[in-house]
mmCIF file of all heavy atoms in Angstrom:
data_model
loop_
_atom_site.group_PDB
_atom_site.id
_atom_site.type_symbol
_atom_site.label_atom_id
_atom_site.label_comp_id
_atom_site.label_asym_id
_atom_site.label_seq_id
_atom_site.Cartn_x
_atom_site.Cartn_y
_atom_site.Cartn_z
ATOM 1 N N HIS A 58 -54.952 -238.953 -150.047
ATOM 2 C CA HIS A 58 -56.099 -238.053 -149.957
ATOM 3 C C HIS A 58 -55.871 -236.945 -148.924
ATOM 4 O O HIS A 58 -56.186 -237.106 -147.746
ATOM 5 C CB HIS A 58 -57.314 -238.914 -149.556
ATOM 6 C CG HIS A 58 -58.630 -238.242 -149.760
ATOM 7 N ND1 HIS A 58 -59.748 -238.940 -150.164
ATOM 8 C CD2 HIS A 58 -59.026 -236.962 -149.597
ATOM 9 C CE1 HIS A 58 -60.762 -238.104 -150.243
ATOM 10 N NE2 HIS A 58 -60.358 -236.890 -149.899
ATOM 11 N N HIS A 60 -56.217 -232.504 -148.297
ATOM 12 C CA HIS A 60 -56.641 -231.180 -148.764
ATOM 13 C C HIS A 60 -55.636 -230.174 -148.216
ATOM 14 O O HIS A 60 -55.508 -230.027 -146.994
ATOM 15 C CB HIS A 60 -58.045 -230.853 -148.259
ATOM 16 C CG HIS A 60 -59.078 -231.813 -148.771
ATOM 17 N ND1 HIS A 60 -59.737 -231.618 -149.965
ATOM 18 C CD2 HIS A 60 -59.539 -232.995 -148.277
ATOM 19 C CE1 HIS A 60 -60.579 -232.626 -150.179
ATOM 20 N NE2 HIS A 60 -60.473 -233.487 -149.163
ATOM 21 N N ARG A 62 -55.485 -226.889 -149.383
ATOM 22 C CA ARG A 62 -56.181 -225.586 -149.376
ATOM 23 C C ARG A 62 -55.482 -224.464 -150.126
ATOM 24 O O ARG A 62 -55.932 -223.321 -150.046
ATOM 25 C CB ARG A 62 -56.454 -225.108 -147.937
ATOM 26 C CG ARG A 62 -57.203 -226.115 -147.084
ATOM 27 C CD ARG A 62 -58.574 -226.419 -147.619
ATOM 28 N NE ARG A 62 -59.356 -227.227 -146.698
ATOM 29 C CZ ARG A 62 -60.244 -228.129 -147.082
ATOM 30 N NH1 ARG A 62 -60.444 -228.368 -148.366
ATOM 31 N NH2 ARG A 62 -60.932 -228.814 -146.206
ATOM 32 N N ASN A 92 -59.889 -229.655 -154.868
ATOM 33 C CA ASN A 92 -60.997 -228.730 -154.559
ATOM 34 C C ASN A 92 -60.496 -227.453 -153.897
ATOM 35 O O ASN A 92 -60.952 -227.042 -152.834
ATOM 36 C CB ASN A 92 -62.091 -229.398 -153.710
ATOM 37 C CG ASN A 92 -61.600 -229.855 -152.343
ATOM 38 O OD1 ASN A 92 -60.414 -230.066 -152.135
ATOM 39 N ND2 ASN A 92 -62.515 -230.014 -151.396
ATOM 40 N N ASP A 149 -63.277 -234.916 -155.886
ATOM 41 C CA ASP A 149 -63.504 -235.096 -154.444
ATOM 42 C C ASP A 149 -64.148 -233.874 -153.787
ATOM 43 O O ASP A 149 -63.802 -232.728 -154.075
ATOM 44 C CB ASP A 149 -62.202 -235.423 -153.725
ATOM 45 C CG ASP A 149 -62.462 -235.620 -152.240
ATOM 46 O OD1 ASP A 149 -63.365 -236.386 -151.896
ATOM 47 O OD2 ASP A 149 -61.786 -234.966 -151.433
ATOM 48 N N GLY A 150 -65.023 -234.195 -152.849
ATOM 49 C CA GLY A 150 -65.904 -233.179 -152.276
ATOM 50 C C GLY A 150 -67.286 -233.469 -152.824
ATOM 51 O O GLY A 150 -68.304 -233.309 -152.171
ATOM 52 N N THR A 151 -67.258 -233.976 -154.061
ATOM 53 C CA THR A 151 -68.480 -234.440 -154.706
ATOM 54 C C THR A 151 -68.105 -235.573 -155.657
ATOM 55 O O THR A 151 -66.943 -235.722 -156.028
ATOM 56 C CB THR A 151 -69.170 -233.272 -155.451
ATOM 57 O OG1 THR A 151 -70.377 -233.748 -156.015
ATOM 58 C CG2 THR A 151 -68.316 -232.705 -156.525
ATOM 59 N N HIS A 182 -65.240 -239.886 -155.117
ATOM 60 C CA HIS A 182 -65.971 -239.601 -153.883
ATOM 61 C C HIS A 182 -67.394 -240.105 -154.159
ATOM 62 O O HIS A 182 -68.128 -239.482 -154.920
ATOM 63 C CB HIS A 182 -65.946 -238.089 -153.640
ATOM 64 C CG HIS A 182 -66.837 -237.597 -152.549
ATOM 65 N ND1 HIS A 182 -66.359 -236.928 -151.452
ATOM 66 C CD2 HIS A 182 -68.186 -237.638 -152.399
ATOM 67 C CE1 HIS A 182 -67.368 -236.590 -150.654
ATOM 68 N NE2 HIS A 182 -68.490 -237.014 -151.211
ATOM 69 N N GLU A 184 -70.976 -240.520 -153.772
ATOM 70 C CA GLU A 184 -72.122 -239.907 -153.089
ATOM 71 C C GLU A 184 -73.133 -239.460 -154.139
ATOM 72 O O GLU A 184 -72.826 -238.595 -154.958
ATOM 73 C CB GLU A 184 -71.651 -238.694 -152.257
ATOM 74 C CG GLU A 184 -72.779 -237.963 -151.558
ATOM 75 C CD GLU A 184 -72.289 -236.701 -150.815
ATOM 76 O OE1 GLU A 184 -71.072 -236.554 -150.548
ATOM 77 O OE2 GLU A 184 -73.150 -235.849 -150.526
ATOM 78 N N GLN A 234 -62.824 -243.692 -152.876
ATOM 79 C CA GLN A 234 -62.308 -242.929 -151.735
ATOM 80 C C GLN A 234 -63.113 -243.216 -150.468
ATOM 81 O O GLN A 234 -64.274 -243.618 -150.539
ATOM 82 C CB GLN A 234 -62.386 -241.431 -152.041
ATOM 83 C CG GLN A 234 -61.511 -241.022 -153.217
ATOM 84 C CD GLN A 234 -61.586 -239.528 -153.477
ATOM 85 O OE1 GLN A 234 -62.656 -238.945 -153.459
ATOM 86 N NE2 GLN A 234 -60.449 -238.912 -153.735
ATOM 87 N N HIS A 235 -62.508 -242.968 -149.366
ATOM 88 C CA HIS A 235 -63.115 -243.035 -148.027
ATOM 89 C C HIS A 235 -64.357 -243.914 -147.905
ATOM 90 O O HIS A 235 -65.461 -243.429 -147.649
ATOM 91 C CB HIS A 235 -63.420 -241.624 -147.485
ATOM 92 C CG HIS A 235 -63.914 -240.594 -148.479
ATOM 93 N ND1 HIS A 235 -64.958 -240.839 -149.331
ATOM 94 C CD2 HIS A 235 -63.514 -239.323 -148.708
ATOM 95 C CE1 HIS A 235 -65.168 -239.753 -150.063
ATOM 96 N NE2 HIS A 235 -64.307 -238.823 -149.699
ATOM 97 N N HIS A 262 -60.773 -241.883 -139.266
ATOM 98 C CA HIS A 262 -62.018 -241.552 -138.546
ATOM 99 C C HIS A 262 -63.118 -242.554 -138.832
ATOM 100 O O HIS A 262 -63.965 -242.796 -137.992
ATOM 101 C CB HIS A 262 -62.477 -240.100 -138.766
ATOM 102 C CG HIS A 262 -62.481 -239.603 -140.174
ATOM 103 N ND1 HIS A 262 -61.391 -239.041 -140.773
ATOM 104 C CD2 HIS A 262 -63.458 -239.568 -141.113
ATOM 105 C CE1 HIS A 262 -61.689 -238.677 -142.010
ATOM 106 N NE2 HIS A 262 -62.941 -238.991 -142.241
ATOM 107 N N LYS A 279 -68.268 -233.375 -137.897
ATOM 108 C CA LYS A 279 -68.979 -233.312 -139.182
ATOM 109 C C LYS A 279 -67.996 -233.592 -140.312
ATOM 110 O O LYS A 279 -66.967 -232.906 -140.436
ATOM 111 C CB LYS A 279 -69.620 -231.939 -139.375
ATOM 112 C CG LYS A 279 -70.399 -231.846 -140.692
ATOM 113 C CD LYS A 279 -71.154 -230.535 -140.795
ATOM 114 C CE LYS A 279 -71.841 -230.435 -142.152
ATOM 115 N NZ LYS A 279 -72.548 -229.162 -142.323
ATOM 116 N N VAL A 280 -68.306 -234.556 -141.140
ATOM 117 C CA VAL A 280 -67.395 -234.976 -142.200
ATOM 118 C C VAL A 280 -68.206 -235.661 -143.291
ATOM 119 O O VAL A 280 -69.296 -236.175 -143.029
ATOM 120 C CB VAL A 280 -66.306 -235.920 -141.599
ATOM 121 C CG1 VAL A 280 -66.890 -237.242 -141.124
ATOM 122 C CG2 VAL A 280 -65.145 -236.144 -142.552
ATOM 123 N N HIS A 281 -67.667 -235.623 -144.527
ATOM 124 C CA HIS A 281 -68.297 -236.335 -145.642
ATOM 125 C C HIS A 281 -67.324 -237.359 -146.201
ATOM 126 O O HIS A 281 -66.220 -236.975 -146.544
ATOM 127 C CB HIS A 281 -68.680 -235.358 -146.746
ATOM 128 C CG HIS A 281 -69.857 -234.494 -146.410
ATOM 129 N ND1 HIS A 281 -70.275 -233.473 -147.202
ATOM 130 C CD2 HIS A 281 -70.708 -234.510 -145.340
ATOM 131 C CE1 HIS A 281 -71.345 -232.883 -146.670
ATOM 132 N NE2 HIS A 281 -71.600 -233.487 -145.524
ATOM 133 N N PRO A 282 -67.693 -238.613 -146.403
ATOM 134 C CA PRO A 282 -68.941 -239.190 -145.926
ATOM 135 C C PRO A 282 -69.002 -239.143 -144.405
ATOM 136 O O PRO A 282 -67.968 -239.105 -143.741
ATOM 137 C CB PRO A 282 -68.901 -240.628 -146.447
ATOM 138 C CG PRO A 282 -67.471 -240.910 -146.717
ATOM 139 C CD PRO A 282 -66.827 -239.615 -147.047
ATOM 140 N N ASP A 308 -57.867 -238.191 -145.702
ATOM 141 C CA ASP A 308 -58.835 -237.136 -146.044
ATOM 142 C C ASP A 308 -58.618 -235.930 -145.112
ATOM 143 O O ASP A 308 -59.585 -235.313 -144.627
ATOM 144 C CB ASP A 308 -60.278 -237.647 -145.953
ATOM 145 C CG ASP A 308 -61.266 -236.692 -146.642
ATOM 146 O OD1 ASP A 308 -60.818 -235.667 -147.179
ATOM 147 O OD2 ASP A 308 -62.475 -236.980 -146.625
ATOM 148 N N HIS A 309 -57.334 -235.632 -144.878
ATOM 149 C CA HIS A 309 -56.946 -234.465 -144.064
ATOM 150 C C HIS A 309 -57.668 -233.234 -144.618
ATOM 151 O O HIS A 309 -57.399 -232.797 -145.727
ATOM 152 C CB HIS A 309 -55.426 -234.311 -144.173
ATOM 153 C CG HIS A 309 -54.847 -233.164 -143.428
ATOM 154 N ND1 HIS A 309 -54.574 -233.210 -142.089
ATOM 155 C CD2 HIS A 309 -54.440 -231.937 -143.847
ATOM 156 C CE1 HIS A 309 -54.039 -232.073 -141.707
ATOM 157 N NE2 HIS A 309 -53.951 -231.276 -142.745
ATOM 158 N N ALA A 310 -58.594 -232.684 -143.841
ATOM 159 C CA ALA A 310 -59.441 -231.585 -144.341
ATOM 160 C C ALA A 310 -59.452 -230.434 -143.342
ATOM 161 O O ALA A 310 -60.353 -230.309 -142.516
ATOM 162 C CB ALA A 310 -60.854 -232.099 -144.605
ATOM 163 N N PRO A 311 -58.424 -229.577 -143.391
ATOM 164 C CA PRO A 311 -58.355 -228.450 -142.462
ATOM 165 C C PRO A 311 -59.430 -227.416 -142.754
ATOM 166 O O PRO A 311 -59.718 -227.128 -143.911
ATOM 167 C CB PRO A 311 -56.951 -227.859 -142.719
ATOM 168 C CG PRO A 311 -56.337 -228.631 -143.830
ATOM 169 C CD PRO A 311 -57.317 -229.604 -144.363
ATOM 170 N N HIS A 312 -59.991 -226.883 -141.682
ATOM 171 C CA HIS A 312 -60.953 -225.783 -141.800
ATOM 172 C C HIS A 312 -60.644 -224.768 -140.709
ATOM 173 O O HIS A 312 -60.209 -225.146 -139.615
ATOM 174 C CB HIS A 312 -62.386 -226.289 -141.638
ATOM 175 C CG HIS A 312 -62.867 -227.091 -142.808
ATOM 176 N ND1 HIS A 312 -63.165 -226.527 -144.029
ATOM 177 C CD2 HIS A 312 -63.079 -228.430 -142.954
ATOM 178 C CE1 HIS A 312 -63.551 -227.477 -144.870
ATOM 179 N NE2 HIS A 312 -63.503 -228.638 -144.255
ATOM 180 N N PRO A 325 -68.542 -226.405 -142.421
ATOM 181 C CA PRO A 325 -68.038 -227.256 -143.500
ATOM 182 C C PRO A 325 -67.656 -228.640 -142.958
ATOM 183 O O PRO A 325 -67.224 -228.762 -141.808
ATOM 184 C CB PRO A 325 -66.789 -226.504 -143.979
ATOM 185 C CG PRO A 325 -66.348 -225.710 -142.798
ATOM 186 C CD PRO A 325 -67.588 -225.370 -142.020
ATOM 187 N N PRO A 326 -67.799 -229.671 -143.767
ATOM 188 C CA PRO A 326 -67.412 -231.009 -143.327
ATOM 189 C C PRO A 326 -65.906 -231.203 -143.455
ATOM 190 O O PRO A 326 -65.281 -230.616 -144.332
ATOM 191 C CB PRO A 326 -68.147 -231.921 -144.314
ATOM 192 C CG PRO A 326 -68.220 -231.115 -145.573
ATOM 193 C CD PRO A 326 -68.333 -229.669 -145.145
ATOM 194 N N GLY A 327 -65.326 -232.000 -142.572
ATOM 195 C CA GLY A 327 -63.905 -232.335 -142.712
ATOM 196 C C GLY A 327 -63.179 -232.285 -141.397
ATOM 197 O O GLY A 327 -63.568 -231.553 -140.479
ATOM 198 N N MET A 328 -62.120 -233.096 -141.307
ATOM 199 C CA MET A 328 -61.311 -233.179 -140.081
ATOM 200 C C MET A 328 -59.849 -233.429 -140.426
ATOM 201 O O MET A 328 -59.538 -233.953 -141.489
ATOM 202 C CB MET A 328 -61.854 -234.269 -139.159
ATOM 203 C CG MET A 328 -62.405 -235.483 -139.834
ATOM 204 S SD MET A 328 -63.105 -236.729 -138.702
ATOM 205 C CE MET A 328 -64.607 -236.021 -138.114
HETATM 206 O O1 LIG B 1 -65.387 -234.020 -145.107
HETATM 207 C C1 LIG B 1 -64.936 -233.709 -146.200
HETATM 208 N N1 LIG B 1 -64.190 -232.611 -146.360
HETATM 209 N N2 LIG B 1 -65.213 -234.476 -147.251
HETATM 210 C C2 LIG B 1 -64.910 -234.093 -148.494
HETATM 211 O O2 LIG B 1 -65.192 -234.825 -149.411
HETATM 212 C C3 LIG B 1 -64.253 -232.803 -148.753
HETATM 213 C C4 LIG B 1 -63.516 -232.354 -147.573
HETATM 214 C C5 LIG B 1 -63.078 -230.911 -147.629
HETATM 215 O O3 LIG B 1 -62.598 -230.473 -148.669
HETATM 216 O O4 LIG B 1 -63.194 -230.237 -146.617
#
Side-chain angles (χ1 to χ4, degrees):
H58 195 144
H60 298 272
R62 306 297 188 213
N92 63 338
D149 181 50
T151 182
H182 170 120
E184 178 184 342
Q234 297 181 316
H235 38 51
H262 47 273
K279 181 174 176 182
V280 67
H281 287 173
D308 195 0
H309 179 82
H312 288 288
M328 36 182 72

